[in-house]
């Protein structure tokens, strides 16, 4: 019998959050929302804030804020993880197990697993473990907590304990500001007429 040599060690991927998805590039946040998310990311949230629940229609910036919160946490030396729940539907327990020790967990698209009991139980358990360990969870969904078709009352109760932030769609001036900021990051100066045309 010959000894087998181990294969090459698996290296973790050094994934980075998109540079456009930072707090300074977010337009139209409710008052105090960015400061609260930044404090949570740094582990300096006010006492009693263990989780944040973002909700709003499509294209209101929920994913932007989740990724910005993760990037801020990592910049502060904390472990952050972003999980799009739609991609994990039906196997949320397994997906969450991989992020068990993250200081900050950002869960996007809660609507995608609402009504799936096993996934809801996995979220409920993960929420409780995070709270007991002093870690934080940020959720995002299109619907407010009370409108989600959840089947697990205990999960709804935990989500209702989160600080809830409603995001509204941008008006024309807000969309113009987004265009201006994105152009500036690419070294472009757009005239107001060009922004109005776009």
């Amino acid at each position: 019998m010959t000894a087998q040599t181990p294969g090459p060690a698996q290296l973790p991927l050094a994934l980075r959050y998109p540079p456009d998805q930072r707090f300074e590039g977010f337009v139209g946040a409710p008052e105090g929302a960015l400061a609260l998310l930044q404090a949570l990311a740094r582990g300096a949230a006010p006492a009693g804030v263990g989780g944040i629940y973002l909700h709003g229609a499509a294209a209101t910036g929920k994913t932007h804020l989740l990724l910005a919160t993760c990037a801020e946490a990592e910049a502060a030396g904390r472990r952050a993880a972003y999980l799009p729940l739609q991609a994990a539907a039906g196997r949320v327990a397994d997906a969450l197990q991989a992020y068990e020790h993250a200081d900050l967990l950002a869960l996007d698209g809660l609507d995608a697993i609402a009504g799936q009991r096993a996934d809801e139980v996995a979220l409920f358990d993960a929420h409780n473990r995070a709270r007991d360990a002093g870690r934080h969870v940020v959720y995002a969904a299109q619907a407010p907590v009370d409108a989600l078709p959840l089947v697990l009352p205990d999960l709804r109760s935990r989500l209702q304990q989160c600080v809830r932030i409603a995001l509204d769609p941008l008006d024309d001036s807000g969309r113009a500001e987004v265009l201006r900021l994105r152009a500036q990051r690419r070294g472009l100066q757009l005239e107001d007429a060009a922004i109005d045309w776009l």
Side-chain angles (χ1 to χ4, degrees):
M1 182 186 257
T2 60
Q4 293 183 351
T5 57
Q10 187 173 0
L11 299 174
L13 295 176
L15 299 176
R16 298 281 178 246
Y17 298 104
D20 282 348
Q21 313 256 324
R22 297 293 189 270
F23 288 121
E24 59 271 11
F26 193 83
V27 175
E31 188 170 336
L34 296 184
L36 180 60
L37 286 164
Q38 287 172 318
L40 189 85
R42 295 182 194 127
V49 177
I52 296 177
Y53 183 93
L54 304 170
H55 64 93
T60 51
K62 298 179 297 294
T63 299
H64 182 140
L65 288 177
L66 290 180
L67 294 173
T69 304
C70 288
E72 184 85 11
E74 288 194 352
R78 302 181 77 220
R79 294 166 299 186
Y82 169 81
L83 178 62
L85 290 170
Q86 184 172 8
R91 52 187 179 81
V92 169
D94 294 335
L96 289 172
Q97 188 174 7
Y99 301 124
E100 186 67 29
H101 300 292
D103 298 310
L104 176 92
L105 184 57
L107 300 173
D108 202 355
L110 190 54
D111 317 73
I113 59 92
Q116 299 180 38
R117 185 172 182 78
D119 286 346
E120 289 186 22
V121 168
L123 277 183
F124 173 75
D125 291 342
H127 182 98
N128 288 337
R129 285 192 306 274
R131 182 193 59 203
D132 293 346
R135 296 188 302 263
H136 301 103
V137 184
V138 183
Y139 298 93
Q142 289 191 17
V145 174
D146 297 335
L148 277 178
L150 298 171
V151 296
L152 190 65
D154 289 337
L155 177 59
R156 186 180 309 279
S157 171
R158 294 302 182 273
L159 295 173
Q160 288 171 332
Q161 293 170 6
C162 294
V163 173
R164 288 173 268 174
I165 299 172
L167 301 174
D168 294 320
L170 292 175
D171 58 13
D172 286 343
S173 65
R175 287 192 291 273
E177 182 61 21
V178 169
L179 283 173
R180 187 174 289 109
L181 286 171
R182 290 199 173 183
Q184 285 174 353
R185 276 195 295 272
R186 289 163 177 77
L188 302 171
Q189 293 288 47
L190 293 180
E191 302 279 334
D192 287 342
I195 289 176
D196 290 343
W197 182 82
L198 290 169

